[in-house]
Amino acid sequence: MAEILFPALFLLLALGLPVAFAMAIAVFAAITLASNYMPLVVVKEMFAGLDSFPLLAVPFFILASEIMTGGAVTLAILRLAQSLVGHMRGGLGHANVISSAMFAGISGSALADAAGPGTMMIRMMEKGGYDRPYASALTIASAVVGPIIPPSITMIIYAMQDQNVSVGSLFMAGVLPGLMITLMVLLANARVSKQRNYASGEPMPSLAEIARIALFALPALILIILIVGGIRFGVFTPTEASVIAVFYALIVGMFVYRSLRLRDLPGIVLRAALTSGAVLLILGAARAFAWVLIIESIPQFLAETIIALDLSPIVFLLAVNLLLLVFGLFMDPLPGVMILVPILAPISFALGIDPNHFAIVVIINLTLGLTTPPVGSLIFVVSSTMGLKPSTLIREMPPFFVALAAALLLITFVPFLSTWLPTVSGF
C-alpha cells in the first residue's frame, strides 16, 4: 500500500488538490488497489479520528477567537502594544510583533494572527512610512508564535498523538519558546529599521496614559491568564477551558467593550463552523493516512532503523529539524503532526529526549513551513489581503528567516526553555 500511498499523495498535492482531499483519495487508492480491506474502512478511520473528547476544544477555541477578534478587542491590544514600544526606532514594527504575541494567547492560530491584527498593523505601518512589502513580511514572521504561545490548536492535536505529553504540559512548554521567537523577530526588525531609517511612530506616552490603555486592554489579556492558570491549577481541563473561553469572550464583547451585538453572532458562529470543519476534515483524513502507515508497519521500521544507527540525541534533533523543515515546505502543520508524530515521538523518547521539549521542536518546525514557499499559507493569506505578489513578500523575508532559524536552534539545543515551566507547574 505504501508504494501507492506516497506517490498518489505527492501527485495530488502537485496538482493543487487541498491537503485533506489529497490524503483521503491517496488512502482510498492504496486500499482499493493494494489490499483486501473494504474502502469503507477509510470512512470508519476518518470518523474514529474525530471521536475524541479533547478534540472538542478545537471548535470552541476557534469560536472564542472569532468572538474576541471583534474591532474593540483587537484595537485594545494594538493600542497597548503601540503605547509600550511605538516611540522606539522601528516602533510600529515592534508593536506589530508584540501585538501578535498578545493575540496568540487568544487565537491559537498563526493564520488568525496574520489575518486579524496583522492586517491592521500593516496598514498602520504603511501610514507610518514603512514599505508595505516589509510590513507584510514582518507580519508573517511575527504570526509564527500563534500556535506556540498557548492556547494552541496544534498542541491539542499533538497531545492526541503522543501519550507522553498532555495538553496542559504543552501549553506550559510553549510560553518561553514563544517569547524567544518574539524576541528574535524584534531584533530583526530593529536591525532592518536602523538600516532603512524607519522612524518611531509617535512620542512616548506618559505612564498615566500607558496605564489607562493597559486597563482598557486588561479584559482581553485576562483570557490568557484564565486559560493557562485554570489548566495549571487543575480548575478545569483544556476542553473545559475552551468552553469557558467562549463564555468569557461573549461577556467581554457584549458587556465590557460593547462591540458585540446579538445580530453579529450568526455570522461569527458560521465563520467558526467553516474554520472548524476545514480543520477537522484535515484531521480525519490524516487519521486514515496514519492508519495505513501503521498497517504497513512503517513507523516501526523507521524507528528500528534509526535506533540501530545509534545516533546521539543532538544528532537526532538536527536530523529531525532538517526533515521537518523540508516536510513543512509541502504540508501544513496539522496533517504534519498527525503523520509524523506517531513515527518520531517514540524514537525521541527512546533516546531520552524530554517529550515536551521534542513536541515544541516539532511544532515550531512545522509552523515555520507556513512562512516558506511553495505552500506557505501565511504568505498567500497576507499577499492576497494586501494585494501583493507572493514573490514580493518572499524577497523581504531573509532577515526574518535568519531570526526564526536562530530561535529554532536555541530552542532545540537549550531544553530548559521548553521544560522549565512544565516542571515547575507539576506536569
Side-chain angles (χ1 to χ4, degrees), residues 233-250:
F233 293 106
V235 179
F236 37 70
T237 67
T239 304
E240 293 165 346
S242 67
V243 179
I244 291 170
V246 170
F247 280 97
Y248 180 83
L250 285 171

Side-chain angles (χ1 to χ4, degrees), residues 233-416:
F233 293 106
V235 179
F236 37 70
T237 67
T239 304
E240 293 165 346
S242 67
V243 179
I244 291 170
V246 170
F247 280 97
Y248 180 83
L250 285 171
I251 292 170
V252 169
M254 297 181 74
F255 302 111
V256 178
Y257 290 117
R258 298 184 179 180
S259 61
L260 181 65
R261 295 162 295 185
L262 285 176
R263 66 171 177 264
D264 298 329
L265 291 180
I268 289 172
V269 172
L270 177 61
R271 289 195 301 272
L274 291 173
T275 304
S276 300
V279 171
L280 295 175
L281 185 60
I282 291 174
L283 295 179
R287 164 62 183 258
F289 193 94
W291 176 80
V292 174
L293 297 182
I294 293 170
I295 291 297
E296 291 285 87
S297 299
I298 291 175
Q300 297 91 322
F301 170 76
L302 291 176
E304 292 171 0
T305 301
I306 294 175
I307 291 173
L309 295 175
D310 196 24
L311 299 177
S312 68
I314 291 178
V315 174
F316 174 74
L317 285 173
L318 280 174
V320 166
N321 277 334
L322 292 175
L323 169 66
L324 295 177
L325 288 173
V326 172
F327 193 89
L329 295 175
F330 305 100
M331 190 165 288
D332 287 336
L334 290 182
V337 166
M338 294 284 289
I339 293 171
L340 293 176
V341 170
I343 299 174
L344 298 175
I347 302 173
S348 72
F349 188 72
L351 293 174
I353 299 171
D354 184 276
N356 289 306
H357 175 217
F358 184 74
I360 297 301
V361 170
V362 170
I363 292 170
I364 292 174
N365 269 288
L366 292 175
T367 304
L368 291 182
L370 296 174
T371 70
T372 54
V375 175
S377 301
L378 280 173
I379 294 175
F380 293 105
V381 166
V382 174
S383 63
S384 61
T385 303
M386 303 311 300
L388 296 169
K389 292 181 179 180
S391 58
T392 304
L393 293 184
I394 294 169
R395 283 196 292 269
E396 294 282 359
M397 287 298 296
F400 303 117
F401 285 146
V402 173
L404 294 172
L408 175 60
L409 288 175
L410 277 172
I411 293 163
T412 299
F413 297 116
V414 184
F416 173 85

Side-chain angles (χ1 to χ4, degrees), residues 131-322:
D131 298 324
R132 181 187 290 187
Y134 173 77
S136 301
L138 176 62
T139 297
I140 291 171
S142 62
V144 167
V145 299
I148 313 302
I149 295 177
S152 166
I153 294 170
T154 308
M155 289 178 181
I156 296 170
I157 306 307
Y158 188 105
M160 294 174 59
Q161 310 306 312
D162 184 359
Q163 300 302 314
N164 293 310
V165 297
S166 66
V167 175
S169 70
L170 291 184
F171 279 9
M172 294 297 168
V175 174
L176 292 182
L179 295 178
M180 175 60 67
I181 293 172
T182 300
L183 175 61
M184 289 298 181
V185 177
L186 284 172
L187 292 175
N189 175 65
R191 184 172 183 273
V192 175
S193 296
K194 183 177 180 180
Q195 291 174 340
R196 301 186 184 184
N197 197 29
Y198 288 140
S200 60
E202 56 188 27
M204 182 178 180
S206 64
L207 291 178
E209 179 69 9
I210 293 175
R212 186 184 65 80
I213 295 172
L215 186 63
F216 183 71
L218 185 61
L221 298 178
I222 282 178
L223 179 60
I224 308 170
I225 302 171
L226 181 68
I227 293 170
V228 178
I231 295 172
R232 157 64 184 87
F233 293 106
V235 179
F236 37 70
T237 67
T239 304
E240 293 165 346
S242 67
V243 179
I244 291 170
V246 170
F247 280 97
Y248 180 83
L250 285 171
I251 292 170
V252 169
M254 297 181 74
F255 302 111
V256 178
Y257 290 117
R258 298 184 179 180
S259 61
L260 181 65
R261 295 162 295 185
L262 285 176
R263 66 171 177 264
D264 298 329
L265 291 180
I268 289 172
V269 172
L270 177 61
R271 289 195 301 272
L274 291 173
T275 304
S276 300
V279 171
L280 295 175
L281 185 60
I282 291 174
L283 295 179
R287 164 62 183 258
F289 193 94
W291 176 80
V292 174
L293 297 182
I294 293 170
I295 291 297
E296 291 285 87
S297 299
I298 291 175
Q300 297 91 322
F301 170 76
L302 291 176
E304 292 171 0
T305 301
I306 294 175
I307 291 173
L309 295 175
D310 196 24
L311 299 177
S312 68
I314 291 178
V315 174
F316 174 74
L317 285 173
L318 280 174
V320 166
N321 277 334
L322 292 175

